[in-house]
Amino acid sequence: PPPPAPHAGPSGLVYSDDGCPTESQGFCLINHVAVGAAYARYNYRGTIERIAIVDFDVHNGNGTAAIVRNLVPHKHTRMISSETSVTMPSYKPWLDETDAENVFFASLHLSAEDFYPRLAVKECCRFGEPEFGLNHEGASDDPAYPNVLSIPMHKTQTVEESSRLFRSLVDSRLINRLRSFRPDLIMISAGFDGHTEDAEGNRGWCHLLEEDYEWITDRLCEVAAEHSRGRIVSVLEGGYHVPQRRGRKGDFDTKA
């Protein structure tokens, strides 16, 4: 099956590097985590009001960000040919007009001009897309969407450097925002393609280990215990080429 599809947007399709709509990118068809979050908010109203989605896949969760931004009514411009565009209202609520203030999304990802998704901020704006810091390491969050948080990481060379940067960003930019949001449910887009052995997924520019993923999961569980009555859902996402090894903590054999 496809992964939770963080690159699938409000209408399923996403945009290629030249701003043209495509059927799918990044192996993404349906944004499972966003669908699950919307289902929980709609069907468990009164119990689950505030939902936080955290994406630590090494690739920017641009599709999930677009879905959460689309909880706010706005005008959206799309190119229908190389010289023709159309502007139309865009708004897809999950429950009601309070969705935007009750849904939080954070993407912690590698950010580089030559790393997927490569659609630059200037290209997004050119075609009417709100900024989400896809390739701009210093991009600030868009004040129009205060609950959409982009946390870019730069390229690193060693396990120690990657771990130090990853944990520093989680503690300095993510955890306090989550605690302030006070979610009733936390959903994780858990991508492991930032692992040091997954050079196919991260091109050798990120070097996280199992211990780093265990650490961030523990940190998110702490917030869930404080504010969400322990409600947390982790959904497997990216991870493409980690050689099978035995004898290390967390290793398992998938052979029957």
Side-chain angles (χ1 to χ4, degrees):
H7 308 301
S11 300
L13 61 80
V14 289
Y15 285 81
S16 63
D17 295 347
D18 59 3
C20 297
T22 62
E23 293 181 359
S24 176
Q25 282 189 340
F27 315 117
C28 297
L29 300 175
I30 299 173
N31 197 312
H32 300 163
V33 166
V35 170
Y39 180 91
R41 177 157 164 75
Y42 184 86
N43 286 281
Y44 295 97
R45 67 190 82 173
T47 300
I48 297 176
E49 298 290 339
R50 299 173 67 78
I51 299 174
I53 303 171
V54 176
D55 184 342
F56 56 69
D57 185 279
V58 77
H59 302 91
N60 187 309
N62 56 331
T64 310
I67 289 172
V68 176
R69 289 195 304 259
N70 213 38
L71 298 175
V72 178
H74 64 284
K75 291 189 179 298
H76 181 71
T77 301
R78 286 185 176 174
M79 300 299 295
I80 57 176
S81 73
S82 60
E83 298 180 353
T84 306
S85 65
V86 59
T87 299
M88 63 189 75
S90 185
Y91 176 44
K92 291 188 177 182
W94 293 356
L95 177 62
D96 55 33
E97 66 279 358
T98 68
D99 285 338
E101 64 192 67
N102 287 300
V103 178
F104 172 91
F105 174 67
S107 175
L108 180 64
H109 54 270
L110 178 63
S111 176
E113 291 287 348
D114 48 355
F115 189 71
Y116 181 89
R118 298 179 299 273
L119 183 59
V121 170
K122 62 181 179 180
E123 293 293 325
C124 289
C125 297
R126 176 178 155 201
F127 296 115
E129 291 283 347
E131 294 185 17
F132 189 53
L134 290 178
N135 284 323
H136 182 29
E137 223 168 88
S140 60
D141 303 317
D142 189 337
Y145 305 94
N147 284 343
V148 178
L149 179 62
S150 174
I151 308 177
M153 298 186 295
H154 57 73
K155 298 175 184 178
T156 51
Q157 301 298 321
T158 66
V159 165
E160 292 76 17
E161 185 185 5
S162 287
S163 180
R164 184 168 55 251
L165 174 63
F166 181 76
R167 298 186 187 210
S168 173
L169 289 172
V170 169
D171 278 337
S172 64
R173 296 205 55 195
L174 175 60
I175 296 301
N176 287 339
R177 287 286 296 272
L178 266 181
R179 287 195 167 108
S180 298
F181 181 72
R182 302 178 64 87
D184 299 311
L185 169 67
I186 297 175
M187 300 192 70
I188 306 173
S189 287
F192 301 100
D193 43 4
H195 193 282
T196 188
E197 293 180 358
D198 194 353
E200 185 171 320
N202 62 56
R203 300 182 65 180
W205 295 332
C206 191
H207 302 276
L208 299 175
L209 294 175
E210 293 90 336
E211 290 81 358
D212 297 303
Y213 293 116
E214 180 180 7
W215 176 84
I216 189 174
T217 302
D218 285 343
R219 297 290 279 134
L220 296 175
C221 285
E222 290 172 7
V223 178
E226 293 172 14
H227 300 293
S228 314
R229 301 186 66 180
R231 300 186 192 101
I232 188 166
V233 177
S234 183
V235 183
L236 180 63
E237 200 171 286
Y240 305 98
H241 187 67
V242 179
Q244 183 179 0
R245 296 197 295 172
R246 295 184 176 88
R248 291 181 53 184
K249 181 179 179 182
D251 285 356
F252 58 91
D253 191 344
T254 58
K255 295 181 180 179

